[in-house]
């Protein structure tokens, strides 16, 4: 639109003519928006608000009297507030390039003053402190001309041919070189060790590879040998199984034959031996019974014979009394007593004979007569014929 002006985002529009600006300034300041300006009656100019740069190269003398060549770079701009724009506009609007020149000169003076109060060691080691002090001392002067400093960087510090800085850095350089040599030696040692480890690993890998190849070859050879021996081994196993079967069959046949022999010979022999034993026991028992019966029969026959001979005994006793001079005082009763005494005497003799025949051995067992029975002389009877010896009941007499 005709007469409507708009400043750029990094510019300030200064309108002169008409009313005065803030604080009696000869112009009004417009930023960030447009303004209608009457042509011919009003005049507009633009002041840059963008970042500007100033370079300072200055030879400064330190507190120790050593000359240092210092190079610094200053980044600055016009302040955004209206007062700063007015101050900068009144000074630099017609020649805005003078802002960099003036700023460089201002900072060069403050740089010389600050370096003159510091030693070389402080300047070299504390550059940030140097920059901060320069900014602090120049801040008031820069504000008066409407400028603000964003940063100050010390680019380089050089003492020329003096060699002070080099001498100051020599111990550090030596230490650094020593550390570099140590690091290089360590790196070389590490490299050698790495090479040795790599060589050992390679040798170990080669050894393992050879071992694996050997094992594989051995497995192949063993498999081939087993394959070659499979037929004979199978035949040998088959023959071994046949032999085992034959051995088992022979053992079973031997067991069967043994059982047959036991059934055919041993069992009958045992049965025959048992039968003979039983018969022998029975025979012994029979003979014992017969012996006991014979002994009992001899005692019975003896008793009978004694009884049969008792009258003869009494008779013989009476015969002995025939020639004796016996006085009988009581008549018939006296004769009876004599006869009774004779009978009693005969019975006593009979008991004595029995006791002799039935006498005991030293061990308490009864003895059995081994020969013919011997009687006292007065009990013996005349020998009779064989026919007379036979008992009337038809039984044979005991021997």
């Amino acid at each position: 639109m005709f007469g409507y002006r708009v400043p750029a985002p990094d510019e300030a529009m200064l309108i002169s003519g008409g009313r005065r600006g803030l604080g009696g300034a000869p112009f009004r300041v417009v930023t960030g928006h447009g303004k209608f300006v009457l042509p011919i009656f009003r005049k507009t100019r633009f002041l840059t608000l963008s970042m500007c740069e100033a370079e300072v190269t200055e030879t400064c003398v330190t507190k120790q009297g050593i000359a240092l060549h210092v190079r610094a770079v200053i980044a600055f701009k016009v302040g955004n507030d209206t007062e700063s724009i007015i101050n900068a506009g009144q000074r630099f609007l017609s020649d805005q390039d003078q802002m960099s020149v003036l700023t460089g000169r201002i900072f060069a003076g403050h740089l010389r003053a600050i370096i003159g109060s510091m030693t070389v060691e402080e300047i070299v080691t504390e550059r940030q402190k140097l920059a901060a002090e320069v900014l602090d001392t120049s801040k008031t002067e820069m504000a008066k001309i409407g400028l603000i400093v964003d940063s100050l960087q010390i680019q380089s510090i050089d003492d020329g041919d003096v060699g002070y800085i080099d001498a100051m850095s020599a111990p550090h350089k030596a230490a650094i070189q020593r550390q570099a040599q140590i690091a290089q030696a360590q790196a070389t040692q590490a490299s050698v060790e790495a090479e040795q480890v790599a060589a050992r690993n390679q040798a170990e890998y080669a050894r393992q590879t050879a071992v694996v190849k050997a094992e594989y070859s051995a497995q192949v050879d063993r498999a081939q040998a087993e394959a070659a021996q499979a037929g004979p081994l199978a035949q040998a196993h088959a023959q071994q199984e046949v032999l085992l079967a034959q051995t088992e069959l022979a053992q079973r046949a031997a067991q069967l034959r043994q059982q047959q022999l036991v059934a055919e010979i041993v069992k009958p022999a045992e049965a025959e031996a048992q039968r003979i034993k039983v018969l022998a026991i029975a025979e012994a028992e029979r003979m014992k019974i017969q012996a006991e019966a014979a002994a009992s029969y001899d005692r019975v026959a003896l008793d009978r014979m004694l009884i049969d001979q008792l009258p003869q005994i009494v008779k013989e006793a009476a015969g002995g009394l025939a020639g004796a001079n016996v006085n009988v005082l009581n008549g018939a009763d006296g004769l009876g007593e004599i006869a009774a005494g004779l009978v009693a005497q005969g019975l006593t003799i009979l008991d004595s004979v029995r006791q002799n025949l039935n006498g005991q051995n030293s061990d308490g067992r009864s003895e059995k007569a081994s020969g013919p029975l011997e009687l006292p002389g007065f009990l013996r009877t005349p020998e009779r014929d064989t026919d007379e010896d036979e008992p009337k009941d038809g039984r044979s007499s005991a021997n």
Side-chain angles (χ1 to χ4, degrees):
M1 182 181 293
F2 181 75
Y4 191 81
R5 307 295 298 271
V6 179
D10 59 346
E11 290 180 341
M13 185 172 62
L14 307 179
I15 303 173
S16 59
R19 293 182 304 171
R20 288 181 173 273
L22 181 65
F27 49 80
R28 287 178 296 171
V29 178
V30 178
T31 58
H33 60 85
K35 189 76 174 177
F36 183 78
V37 179
L38 291 174
I40 302 173
F41 299 100
R42 303 288 188 271
K43 188 176 182 178
T44 59
R45 301 287 297 273
F46 295 93
L47 179 66
T48 180
L49 301 178
S50 61
M51 181 68 65
C52 298
E53 178 181 322
E55 183 175 346
V56 177
T57 302
E58 193 70 23
T59 300
C60 307
V61 179
T62 66
K63 182 178 180 180
Q64 299 161 319
I66 300 173
L68 296 178
H69 302 286
V70 180
R71 180 176 176 272
V73 177
I74 303 100
F76 67 95
K77 65 181 291 297
V78 177
N80 294 327
D81 59 292
T82 303
E83 184 179 359
S84 297
I85 294 174
I86 291 173
N87 292 332
Q90 289 178 345
R91 289 172 176 81
F92 306 110
L93 183 59
S94 60
D95 189 2
Q96 297 185 25
D97 292 336
Q98 289 296 320
M99 287 189 297
S100 298
V101 176
L102 183 58
T103 300
R105 291 176 180 175
I106 292 172
F107 272 89
H110 289 289
L111 191 62
R112 283 194 301 270
I114 299 298
I115 289 177
S117 64
M118 299 176 66
T119 64
V120 177
E121 288 79 7
E122 292 176 347
I123 295 170
V124 172
T125 59
E126 299 180 4
R127 291 188 181 187
Q128 191 63 33
K129 179 181 177 181
L130 173 63
E133 290 183 0
V134 173
L135 285 174
D136 289 338
T137 55
S138 62
K139 184 180 297 183
T140 303
E141 293 182 9
M142 296 293 290
K144 288 180 181 181
I145 60 177
L147 301 177
I148 60 175
V149 179
D150 288 339
S151 67
L152 171 63
Q153 297 293 330
I154 306 299
Q155 297 292 323
S156 64
I157 299 174
D158 186 14
D159 60 355
D161 297 334
V162 176
Y164 187 89
I165 296 177
D166 292 338
M168 185 178 63
S169 62
H172 301 286
K173 289 182 178 179
I176 291 173
Q177 289 177 357
R178 183 171 60 254
Q179 293 177 357
Q181 291 175 358
I182 292 173
Q184 182 65 34
Q186 291 177 350
T188 304
Q189 182 179 359
S191 176
V192 173
E193 291 178 354
E195 291 178 357
Q196 292 177 354
V197 171
R200 285 196 298 268
N201 293 336
Q202 186 175 2
E204 179 65 19
Y205 179 75
R207 186 188 65 81
Q208 293 179 357
T209 303
V211 170
V212 172
K213 288 182 178 179
E215 290 179 353
Y216 179 75
S217 179
Q219 291 178 359
V220 171
D221 294 341
R222 184 165 55 252
Q224 292 177 352
E226 290 177 356
Q229 295 176 358
L233 286 176
Q235 185 177 1
H237 284 306
Q239 293 178 356
Q240 184 177 4
E241 291 179 357
V242 171
L243 291 175
L244 290 176
Q246 292 177 352
T247 303
E248 185 178 358
L249 181 61
Q251 291 177 352
R252 291 184 179 179
Q255 292 177 357
L256 180 60
R257 181 57 182 167
Q258 183 179 4
Q259 293 176 358
Q260 291 177 353
L261 291 175
V262 169
E264 294 176 357
I265 298 175
V266 176
K267 292 298 182 181
E270 290 179 352
E272 180 64 19
Q274 187 66 23
R275 185 183 67 81
I276 294 172
K277 181 178 180 182
V278 171
L279 291 177
I281 293 173
E283 181 66 19
E285 189 67 24
R286 184 182 67 80
M287 293 178 67
K288 179 180 178 182
I289 294 172
Q290 287 179 354
E292 291 178 354
S296 177
Y297 180 78
D298 289 342
R299 287 195 298 272
V300 172
L302 179 59
D303 290 342
R304 177 175 291 180
M305 183 178 67
L306 291 175
I307 293 170
D308 292 339
Q309 294 295 329
L310 184 58
Q312 182 66 28
I313 294 170
V314 175
K315 181 180 179 181
E316 292 291 335
L321 292 175
N325 185 13
V326 179
N327 293 321
V328 179
L329 297 179
N330 54 353
D333 294 333
L335 292 174
E337 290 177 359
I338 293 171
L342 293 173
V343 173
Q345 186 177 5
L347 292 175
T348 300
I349 295 171
L350 179 61
D351 290 336
S352 176
V353 173
R354 285 180 179 176
Q355 291 178 0
N356 291 329
L357 293 175
N358 294 328
Q360 299 294 324
N361 292 330
S362 62
D363 56 356
R365 293 181 299 176
S366 62
E367 293 181 352
K368 184 172 67 175
S370 60
L373 186 61
E374 296 292 338
L375 296 177
F378 66 91
L379 291 179
R380 294 179 184 175
T381 57
E383 293 182 358
R384 292 179 298 177
D385 297 333
T386 304
D387 295 336
E388 292 179 357
D389 292 336
E390 294 293 333
K392 294 180 180 181
D393 55 0
R395 293 181 300 177
S396 61
S397 62
N399 291 328

